[in-house]
């Protein structure tokens, strides 16, 4: 599963995190079909900035909680989502990483989907994720839930707002 970036920026909000690994989970985007060779960059890049390989962007780090939000612009024409888990004993080390393109997952998780997508509007989704290998997880996809939406740029909003007085005038005229 991957998405077309489109010309609009995107907005993401961390809605809920029900996971024993909540302090060690990291959520972000990656270039479609092209994960970084060094997975440590999935954890160490400042949120909202491009990783050193240019293939990933961290959105939420482990200690972020529900209510956190970020506006990001995907630098690629197509992108997917990742969930990486940091080692609790060796900070900066990735224990496992799952990608929305399940063909990028490795080992026993190859071709297994760790994300559930629910459309919330024409360009908005809830993204639920499972942070453990599926063979030993509860498969509830609620370990980390993020709301992601494309937001119109400022010129689109200005055009919309400029037309509102005319719409209100027509409405009054009919009444």
């Amino acid at each position: 599963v991957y998405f077309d970036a489109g010309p609009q920026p995107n907005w993401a909000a961390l809605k809920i995190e029900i996971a024993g690994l909540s302090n060690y989970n990291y959520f972000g985007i990656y270039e479609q079909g092209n994960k970084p060779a060094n997975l440590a960059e999935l954890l160490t890049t400042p949120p909202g900035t491009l990783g050193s390989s240019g293939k990933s962007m961290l959105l939420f780090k482990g200690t972020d909680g529900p209510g956190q939000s970020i506006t990001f612009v995907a630098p690629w024409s197509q992108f997917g989502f990742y969930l990486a888990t940091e080692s609790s004993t060796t900070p900066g080390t990735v224990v496992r990483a799952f990608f929305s393109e399940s063909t990028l997952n490795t080992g026993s998780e190859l071709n297994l989907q760790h994300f559930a997508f629910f459309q919330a509007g024409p360009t908005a989704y809830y993204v639920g994720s499972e942070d453990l290998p599926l063979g030993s997880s509860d498969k509830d996809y609620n370990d980390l839930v993020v709301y992601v939406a494309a937001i119109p740029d400022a010129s689109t909003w200005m055009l919309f707002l400029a037309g509102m007085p005319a719409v209100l005038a027509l409405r009054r005229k009919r009444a």
Side-chain angles (χ1 to χ4, degrees):
V1 176
Y2 61 89
F3 293 83
D4 288 322
Q8 297 100 339
N10 292 279
W11 176 77
L14 183 58
K15 289 299 188 183
I16 190 170
E17 190 171 12
I18 304 173
L21 299 171
S22 61
N23 287 337
Y24 305 103
N25 284 335
Y26 292 73
F27 180 87
I29 60 174
Y30 67 93
E31 182 180 18
Q32 184 264 327
N34 203 5
K35 69 180 180 182
N38 180 0
L39 295 180
E41 102 175 34
L42 301 176
L43 310 176
T44 57
T45 305
T49 61
L50 211 51
S52 59
S53 71
K55 298 177 183 178
S56 70
M57 181 184 292
L58 177 65
L59 299 179
F60 300 110
K61 56 187 177 179
T63 54
D64 291 342
Q68 298 293 319
S69 65
I70 189 169
T71 300
F72 66 96
V73 176
W76 323 282
S77 60
Q78 297 174 321
F79 67 93
F81 295 99
Y82 74 81
L83 180 68
T85 303
E86 180 179 37
S87 168
S88 61
T89 57
T90 312
T93 302
V94 175
V95 175
R96 63 188 147 266
F98 303 123
F99 298 87
S100 59
E101 286 178 271
S102 59
T103 56
L104 298 178
N105 294 339
T106 59
S108 64
E109 301 307 300
L110 180 65
N111 294 320
L112 297 180
Q113 188 55 263
H114 284 261
F115 296 89
F117 297 91
F118 302 94
Q119 192 163 12
T123 59
Y125 294 87
Y126 282 98
V127 181
S129 56
E130 180 57 53
D131 65 356
L132 292 172
L134 293 180
S136 60
S137 74
D138 54 12
K139 300 176 188 76
D140 59 9
Y141 296 86
N142 72 350
D143 294 326
L144 187 124
V145 178
V146 175
Y147 178 80
V148 181
I151 55 174
D153 62 3
S155 62
T156 303
W157 277 109
M158 292 305 290
L159 184 62
F160 171 76
L161 293 173
M164 286 307 294
V167 171
L168 293 174
L170 283 173
R171 189 171 182 207
R172 285 189 188 150
K173 199 177 213 183
R174 286 186 185 167

